[in-house]
Amino acid sequence: MEMAGVMESAKELDRLRKEQEDVFAEINKLHKRFSQCNPEQIEKLGEPWLKLRAFYVQAKELAENEVTISSSLISQLDSLMHSGLSSAQRKKIEVEQKKKRMKADSDPRLSSAASVRSLLEQANNLINEQVAARVTADDAEKDEWFIVKVTRFDRETKEFEVLDEEPGDEEESGQRKYKLPMSRIIPFPKCGDPTTAPDFPPGAQVLAVYPGTTALYKATVVNSHRKKKNEDYLLEFDDDEEEGSPGLPRRQIPFYKVVPLPEGHRQ
């Protein structure tokens, strides 16, 4: 009976994964359709937006079900393994499993159904949102961060397709597109929700959008905290200069254009 339950759970897991593939195929079709429209046309698309949302809700539910079935399957397999073992052998297996769980928790490269679900939820929240993105390669001498718009999430590669909406220079005319992992993207605080913005202590290092540009640069927080959540940050940008100013000029930057400085930032 226990083996029959294992086989049934395995079949259900296989069914869920196939259904997830179908859902993401439909999501990708809609993303492709949106990418072929200009901004005016996209704003007029009512029903496709509802379909896209419904597909993401379905994807979220399938991912949650996958976690539930996977957990049940693990318990069933554990029960089968332990049934014919001595207490010493069961203890040894439990210790080894605990070590593996600890290693998985500490190693970000080891993905699980739960981490996939978390990534899908983040992808759902970031589509069509502006974010801070490092567009330079890992081996570049310095990091360059810009405001980009998330247009699509590729489930197979687990990368975001983003669009730099600012026109390029003469050599790179037009808008530039990139495919980036989540590790090179930082969501901005929500413009309409000041509570999503952190209170950085004085002296804290941050990345902030320099006034009049779409580029983010390293800066230092001057004020200890904002009196009101929706107030601007007072910052000093590294290597900034202003005519007639003896030191670094202090600039007020909106709370929704400031993010924590990434660890290992190169400048």
Side-chain angles (χ1 to χ4, degrees), residues 9-10 12-13 16 64-74:
S9 295
E12 177 64 12
L13 195 59
L16 285 170
E64 290 172 345
N65 289 340
E66 183 180 353
V67 172
T68 301
I69 297 298
S70 297
S71 299
S72 175
L73 189 54
I74 290 171

Side-chain angles (χ1 to χ4, degrees), residues 12-36:
E12 177 64 12
L13 195 59
D14 187 51
R15 185 193 68 78
L16 285 170
R17 287 174 178 168
K18 288 179 180 178
E19 191 171 347
Q20 283 177 314
E21 290 176 1
D22 293 340
V23 170
F24 275 94
E26 295 298 325
I27 289 174
N28 290 335
K29 286 180 185 178
L30 287 170
H31 285 171
K32 185 176 181 180
R33 178 180 176 183
F34 293 148
S35 68
Q36 294 171 345

Side-chain angles (χ1 to χ4, degrees), residues 15-234:
R15 185 193 68 78
L16 285 170
R17 287 174 178 168
K18 288 179 180 178
E19 191 171 347
Q20 283 177 314
E21 290 176 1
D22 293 340
V23 170
F24 275 94
E26 295 298 325
I27 289 174
N28 290 335
K29 286 180 185 178
L30 287 170
H31 285 171
K32 185 176 181 180
R33 178 180 176 183
F34 293 148
S35 68
Q36 294 171 345
C37 298
N38 58 45
E40 290 76 15
Q41 291 174 320
I42 290 177
E43 289 179 359
K44 296 177 181 179
L45 294 176
E47 185 179 351
W49 285 118
L50 294 175
K51 284 184 177 180
L52 183 62
R53 184 184 185 282
F55 280 132
Y56 268 115
V57 170
Q58 187 178 358
K60 178 176 179 291
E61 291 174 350
L62 289 170
E64 290 172 345
N65 289 340
E66 183 180 353
V67 172
T68 301
I69 297 298
S70 297
S71 299
S72 175
L73 189 54
I74 290 171
S75 297
Q76 289 171 324
L77 289 171
D78 286 344
S79 178
L80 274 175
M81 279 187 359
H82 290 184
S83 60
L85 300 176
S86 66
S87 59
Q89 289 173 319
R90 286 197 294 269
K91 183 67 175 178
K92 183 179 179 180
I93 291 175
E94 289 172 1
V95 170
E96 290 176 351
Q97 289 177 337
K98 184 177 181 180
K99 288 181 179 179
K100 288 180 180 179
R101 285 196 297 269
M102 291 175 65
K103 183 180 179 182
D105 290 341
S106 62
D107 190 345
R109 295 171 300 176
L110 300 177
S111 65
S112 63
S115 64
V116 170
R117 180 185 66 178
S118 176
L119 187 59
L120 291 176
E121 290 176 350
Q122 291 183 68
N124 186 28
N125 293 331
L126 291 179
I127 297 298
N128 294 314
E129 291 289 330
Q130 287 189 330
V131 298
R134 176 166 66 84
V135 298
T136 45
D138 291 335
D139 58 354
E141 292 185 2
K142 65 177 184 178
D143 296 338
E144 294 182 356
W145 290 78
F146 293 96
I147 298 176
V148 298
K149 183 179 181 180
V150 178
T151 58
R152 180 176 174 270
F153 177 69
D154 190 326
R155 186 170 183 264
E156 291 185 2
T157 63
K158 294 182 175 60
E159 290 182 319
F160 290 88
E161 291 184 5
V162 302
L163 177 67
D164 183 353
E165 298 178 286
E166 283 292 304
D169 54 26
E170 293 181 1
E171 296 181 358
E172 297 182 0
S173 59
Q175 298 176 329
R176 288 158 292 187
K177 297 180 179 179
Y178 304 92
K179 290 192 73 172
L180 305 172
M182 187 65 201
S183 60
R184 289 166 63 178
I185 287 176
I186 305 178
F188 284 114
K190 294 189 178 298
C191 179
D193 186 4
T195 61
T196 60
D199 282 324
F200 295 107
Q205 305 278 284
V206 297
L207 275 182
V209 180
Y210 190 82
T213 75
T214 58
L216 290 89
Y217 297 96
K218 184 180 176 183
T220 302
V221 177
V222 175
N223 60 335
S224 60
H225 63 276
R226 296 165 296 152
K227 294 179 180 178
K228 295 181 179 179
K229 280 288 185 180
N230 61 350
E231 287 184 349
D232 297 340
Y233 290 104
L234 189 61

